[in-house]
Amino acid sequence: MSGFLGLIYFLTEALKERVIQRLHVIHQEVAMSTSIRLAPDIEKRLGFLAEKTGRTKSFYLREVIEQGLEDIEDYYLAADVLERVRSGREKTYSSAEVRKDLGLDD
C-alpha cells in the first residue's frame, strides 16, 4: 500500500472509530437501560396488560415511571420549599405585597 493510500486508510479507520464512539455517546444520551425486580403479581399484571393491548411491558413501565416521577417531584420539591419557609430560609410574600408589586391595587 502506498503512503498516500495508507494515510487515507488510516484516516478512514480513525474517522470510523470516532463516528462509532459518537454514536455510542448519542445512544447513551437518548436512552438509559435499567433493570428492576417486580413482585410476581405485578409482573403477571404487567404481562397481561401488555399481551392484551399489543404494547410492550417496557412501554407501560416507562409510562408509570414518567407519571410517577412527576408526582414524586411535585411532592418532594413542595415539601422542600415548605421546610425552607418554616425554617425562615425562604422569603414569602403576602397577597397584598404581590398585588402592590404588580400594580394591581391601582
Side-chain angles (χ1 to χ4, degrees):
M1 187 178 301
S2 73
F4 181 69
L5 290 177
L7 178 62
I8 289 176
Y9 177 79
F10 172 78
L11 291 175
T12 302
E13 289 300 308
L15 179 60
K16 181 172 75 173
E17 184 61 32
R18 288 192 58 184
V19 168
I20 290 170
Q21 288 173 352
R22 182 64 188 137
L23 288 173
H24 183 68
V25 168
I26 289 170
H27 176 72
Q28 287 178 337
E29 292 172 357
V30 173
M32 179 187 79
S33 178
T34 190
S35 64
I36 59 171
R37 295 185 195 277
L38 297 174
D41 61 319
I42 299 296
E43 170 69 27
K44 187 175 180 180
R45 289 172 59 194
L46 183 61
F48 179 79
L49 179 62
E51 182 182 323
K52 292 298 179 185
T53 61
R55 294 190 182 265
T56 64
K57 290 190 263 184
S58 294
F59 170 83
Y60 289 112
L61 290 171
R62 277 191 304 274
E63 288 287 305
V64 167
I65 290 169
E66 288 171 8
Q67 292 175 11
L69 186 57
E70 285 183 23
D71 293 343
I72 291 170
E73 286 171 332
D74 289 345
Y75 174 80
Y76 283 102
L77 295 175
D80 183 54
V81 171
L82 179 60
E83 194 278 322
R84 290 195 318 263
V85 168
R86 287 181 174 164
S87 68
R89 293 181 289 131
E90 184 80 22
K91 176 91 171 106
T92 59
Y93 302 90
S94 69
S95 61
E97 290 172 308
V98 172
R99 283 193 308 274
K100 182 179 178 187
D101 286 349
L102 294 175
L104 300 175
D105 281 342
D106 300 334

